[in-house]
Amino acid sequence: TEGKLLWMFDNVLVYISGRVSTIDGIFLEPSEYDEQGNPIYVLFMNGQKSRIPLWRLMYGGYIEDSSSRVPDKVGFHDNNPRNCALDNLRFFEVLDGSEQELIVGQYTDKEGVVRYHIDRRYHRRVRCNENGLLYLGPREAARDLGLDAGNISSALKGRRRSVGGYTFVYVDEG
């Protein structure tokens, strides 16, 4: 078994493991790889042959409607573009000249089905000066340290000196 189904796309099933199969359960291998090493699948959609990178198929599981933007860049936690498992993908958009990572999340709907989504509330990485740890944003720091996220945001904006004895700074990764 390939684990949980992420979504069904036209005539293929896409799994969170990064595998693709036909509706009949036949697993497909990539048709080719692009110059960066990304697996490409050639699929027939709406009667036409289309070349689709595997990361794009994986990202499609998050799209609520066809007008959603495709990320400007994709990255891989293990730097291996052939590993398109859900937990290895990183999506980025460029805003005002800087890359912002899109946050991959999940929730359970009213019927109890786990669904995946992209959180488009951009987070800037935050460092706690006292413990030296990097956090994805004020909310993650607050959760870890047992503090209020709003107070951490205020400290980052200079409206407070510290929160619970901790000081924070934004970290611009480039």
Side-chain angles (χ1 to χ4, degrees):
T1 178
E2 286 305 313
K4 292 174 79 174
L5 181 67
L6 178 60
W7 73 303
M8 189 168 117
F9 179 73
D10 205 23
N11 57 353
V12 296
L13 304 175
V14 181
Y15 295 85
I16 62 173
S17 64
R19 295 288 312 269
V20 178
S21 78
T22 64
I23 292 174
D24 300 330
I26 299 168
F27 284 95
L28 305 174
E29 293 299 321
S31 304
E32 59 189 272
Y33 295 90
D34 68 12
E35 54 279 350
Q36 287 86 34
N38 295 303
I40 306 291
Y41 285 84
V42 176
L43 303 172
F44 285 92
M45 298 180 313
N46 302 324
Q48 294 185 335
K49 201 193 270 191
S50 298
R51 293 178 69 245
I52 304 174
L54 178 54
W55 70 263
R56 178 66 177 89
L57 286 172
M58 296 297 289
Y59 182 78
Y62 301 111
I63 296 176
E64 298 292 324
D65 61 74
S66 59
S67 66
S68 294
R69 280 190 55 185
V70 175
D72 297 315
K73 180 180 171 187
V74 65
F76 305 90
H77 289 290
D78 68 359
N79 295 319
N80 178 4
R82 293 183 183 209
N83 179 4
C84 288
L86 186 63
D87 60 358
N88 191 46
L89 293 172
R90 300 174 70 197
F91 300 112
F92 299 88
E93 286 185 351
V94 177
L95 294 172
D96 300 325
S98 69
E99 279 182 8
Q100 298 292 324
E101 185 169 358
L102 300 173
I103 309 305
V104 175
Q106 70 181 42
Y107 66 96
T108 305
D109 67 13
K110 287 185 249 179
E111 289 81 38
V113 176
V114 174
R115 304 225 180 253
Y116 299 91
H117 67 95
I118 293 289
D119 185 345
R120 289 190 179 276
R121 293 170 293 172
Y122 301 102
H123 300 280
R124 289 176 64 191
R125 299 209 189 277
V126 171
R127 184 178 66 237
C128 174
N129 291 322
E130 284 66 33
N131 65 17
L133 294 177
L134 277 176
Y135 298 99
L136 197 54
R139 276 189 279 170
E140 186 181 62
R143 221 174 294 125
D144 184 54
L145 299 170
L147 303 170
D148 180 76
N151 288 340
I152 293 175
S153 292
S154 292
L156 287 161
K157 294 174 184 171
R159 294 192 292 244
R160 296 180 66 111
R161 286 185 42 191
S162 66
V163 181
Y166 296 99
T167 58
F168 300 88
V169 292
Y170 282 117
V171 178
D172 295 320
E173 295 180 340

